[in-house]
Amino acid sequence: MSGSAPVTRETFDSVMLPVYAPATFVPVKGQGSRVWDQQGNEFIDFSGGIAVTALGHCHPALVAALKTQGEAIWHTSNLFTNEPALRLAKKLIDATFAERVFFANSGAEANEAAFKLARRYAIQRHSPYKTKIIAFHNAFHGRTLFTVSVGGQPKYSDGFGPKPADIIHVPFNDLAAVKAVIDDHTCAVVLEPVQGEGGITAVDADFLRGVRELCDKHQALLVFDEVQSGMGRTGTLFTYMQYGITPDILTSAKALGGGFPISAMLTTNEIASVMEPGVHGTTYGGNPLACAVAEAAFDVINTSAVLSGVQQRHQYIVSRLEEINHQYHAFSEVRGLGLLIGAQLQPKYQGKARDFLAASVEQGLMVLNAGPDVIRFAPSLVITSEELESGMAKFEKAVKAIVEAQG
Ligand SMILES: *Cc1c(COP(=O)(O)O)cnc(C)c1O
């Protein structure tokens, strides 16, 4: 720290591009599902870095992997391959439908690769006019211009000039709406098995089956964005596994590195075969540090102990939310899968999700929103029962404070 002036939350407002509105405190340390700020105040973390820190903060297996790799080799570029990337790719392939892996650094980049691959596959195998992408209202796929355009929230994609063309949005879970727009010019249907940013909405099994059939009929690829719903978040390694519907392309990020930036796009040999050296890439994709940490996270998450624990924790959170709601009537619905849970605010609290977050911070709890009307819970998959109980007690106090203030 020698020679640097102290930084505080206020520093943010004068040095950062104003695209975020961070909380009033600055976290400096984390352990498990506890976080401490600059003043030493303690918080329970139900936000999980937005479904990223799936094993909590500073999990010993991840710290060990990072240290070991940090003393071996950090970066080589894709002019050379590396052992952690190859090992991680093999594990992802062994555990899923996939036969080929592409590594990148963020969810948006994995999706960008997925959409480019879907377009290229359709153009090469079928026709230069087979470029239509069908996506869904309220979907979120990242912030590059292509991914934000496939995303279904115009407020994120408007105002940046011309968007990539031939992208159609229809209501989520509405099979008739997909049927009405899908045709032989469609290259892909893209969806999140649980819409995350859009408000924690799980896909309906019948809808998903129907979409799979429509894709097969029109030779369109089915792309699952499991950036948020994957890596154990809903109780199976990927959410598609509990629906029994297999995608052609799947993207993973967020929890994949447990807090170290990495993403992956998974696909089959047949689809991968339209790619060749030079067609796509990224400098950091498959970085050894990222892959070593992700491999360690994978080894812990893809165990029955961790995955079955997700369901128990889900039950606990949902039952506590129901108790709290019985008393305070703040929510109209509690929904979601595994440890991706949304509490929809009653109309009288419309637009007030951020107020609930601020009230939670007052109680020493970090929690998320998913849009203006939904409180989102995405804690560590291995959060202890003591941390869970403490966090829910804090949340109850936050709800009480808001409800009483509202009158
Ligand atoms: C977070 C998220 C993304 C974007 O990931 P980044 O790492 O922020 O680029 C894409 N899709 C879904 C479903 C997400 O939740």
Side-chain angles (χ1 to χ4, degrees):
M1 293 285 173
S2 62
S4 344
V7 288
T8 65
R9 169 62 183 81
E10 281 63 49
T11 314
F12 180 95
D13 297 328
S14 56
V15 301
M16 293 296 193
L17 190 77
V19 293
Y20 307 115
T24 50
F25 67 98
V26 180
V28 294
K29 185 177 164 52
Q31 189 63 57
S33 289
R34 289 194 147 78
V35 166
W36 293 269
D37 72 5
Q38 290 178 311
Q39 286 72 38
N41 299 309
E42 184 180 297
F43 297 83
I44 296 288
D45 187 2
F46 281 1
S47 66
I50 315 189
V52 166
T53 50
L55 297 174
H57 298 280
C58 297
H59 188 283
L62 276 56
V63 172
L66 185 60
K67 283 185 173 163
T68 302
Q69 190 59 41
E71 289 171 354
I73 193 164
W74 283 27
H75 184 77
T76 58
S77 87
N78 285 302
L79 296 171
F80 312 90
T81 190
N82 69 78
E83 291 177 354
L86 296 171
R87 285 198 304 263
L88 178 61
K90 283 180 87 165
K91 286 181 178 181
L92 288 167
I93 286 169
D94 285 348
T96 66
F97 75 97
E99 297 160 328
R100 295 282 173 159
V101 178
F102 171 77
F103 288 122
N105 317 288
S106 65
E109 284 171 279
N111 285 329
E112 183 87 18
F115 305 159
K116 284 177 71 178
L117 176 60
R119 283 262 175 95
R120 188 176 171 90
Y121 181 76
I123 289 167
Q124 287 213 349
R125 286 285 189 277
H126 300 287
S127 129
Y129 304 107
K130 192 171 172 65
T131 55
K132 186 197 288 184
I133 293 175
I134 298 174
F136 295 93
H137 295 165
N138 290 322
F140 185 80
H141 300 299
R143 300 290 198 142
T144 64
L145 195 54
F146 196 176
T147 56
V148 88
S149 303
V150 175
Q153 302 192 57
K155 67 173 189 229
Y156 292 141
S157 57
D158 288 349
F160 297 100
K163 299 176 194 179
D166 215 6
I167 301 164
I168 292 188
H169 296 96
V170 296
F172 193 50
N173 280 333
D174 183 343
L175 190 60
V178 178
K179 211 170 195 166
V181 294
I182 196 167
D183 59 20
D184 291 344
H185 294 306
T186 304
C187 70
V189 177
V190 179
L191 63 86
E192 297 156 85
V194 183
Q195 285 194 338
E197 302 308 304
I200 317 298
T201 309
V203 72
D204 291 339
D206 289 343
F207 169 79
L208 200 58
R209 200 170 310 115
V211 169
R212 177 73 270 182
E213 282 165 13
L214 286 171
C215 284
D216 293 342
K217 182 172 167 206
H218 294 285
Q219 297 178 297
L221 300 183
L222 182 53
V223 180
F224 288 173
D225 177 348
E226 293 230 34
V227 166
Q228 187 155 173
S229 64
M231 289 309 296
R233 177 62 44 195
T234 66
T236 47
L237 183 63
F238 290 102
T239 301
Y240 83 85
M241 295 169 173
Q242 54 194 283
Y243 284 86
I245 307 286
T246 304
D248 301 296
I249 300 176
L250 177 146
T251 55
S252 175
K254 291 204 161 88
L256 182 62
F260 202 102
I262 181 172
S263 64
M265 178 192 69
L266 312 184
T267 191
T268 62
N269 279 326
E270 161 61 15
I271 297 165
S273 70
V274 299
M275 290 308 215
E276 59 190 69
V279 164
H280 190 66
T282 165
T283 297
Y284 283 117
N287 170 275
L289 289 170
C291 291
V293 177
E295 185 190 7
F298 182 95
D299 287 344
V300 178
I301 290 172
N302 196 32
T303 56
S304 58
V306 168
L307 294 174
S308 65
V310 168
Q311 221 36 52
Q312 293 156 14
R313 289 166 175 82
H314 169 93
Q315 291 303 342
Y316 177 76
I317 295 177
V318 168
S319 67
R320 283 291 281 122
L321 284 173
E322 281 165 359
E323 270 172 34
I324 292 168
N325 207 31
H326 190 72
Q327 183 147 10
Y328 298 108
H329 311 287
F331 315 118
S332 56
E333 188 185 16
V334 173
R335 58 180 183 247
L337 297 178
L339 287 172
L340 191 51
I341 297 170
Q344 173 88 39
L345 295 175
Q346 290 280 9
K348 73 185 280 203
Y349 302 108
Q350 198 166 3
K352 295 230 157 86
R354 298 275 306 203
D355 295 0
F356 283 76
L357 271 47
S360 298
V361 164
E362 290 294 306
Q363 301 298 333
L365 176 69
M366 298 152 75
V367 64
L368 302 167
N369 63 312
D373 306 319
V374 177
I375 314 297
R376 170 172 34 164
F377 299 80
S380 157
L381 309 184
V382 295
I383 187 169
T384 65
S385 46
E386 189 270 321
E387 291 162 336
L388 263 182
E389 283 163 23
S390 167
M392 290 310 296
K394 291 171 187 294
F395 186 67
E396 177 160 16
K397 286 187 189 152
V399 172
K400 179 173 192 271
I402 295 228
V403 168
E404 286 177 354
Q406 177 107 357

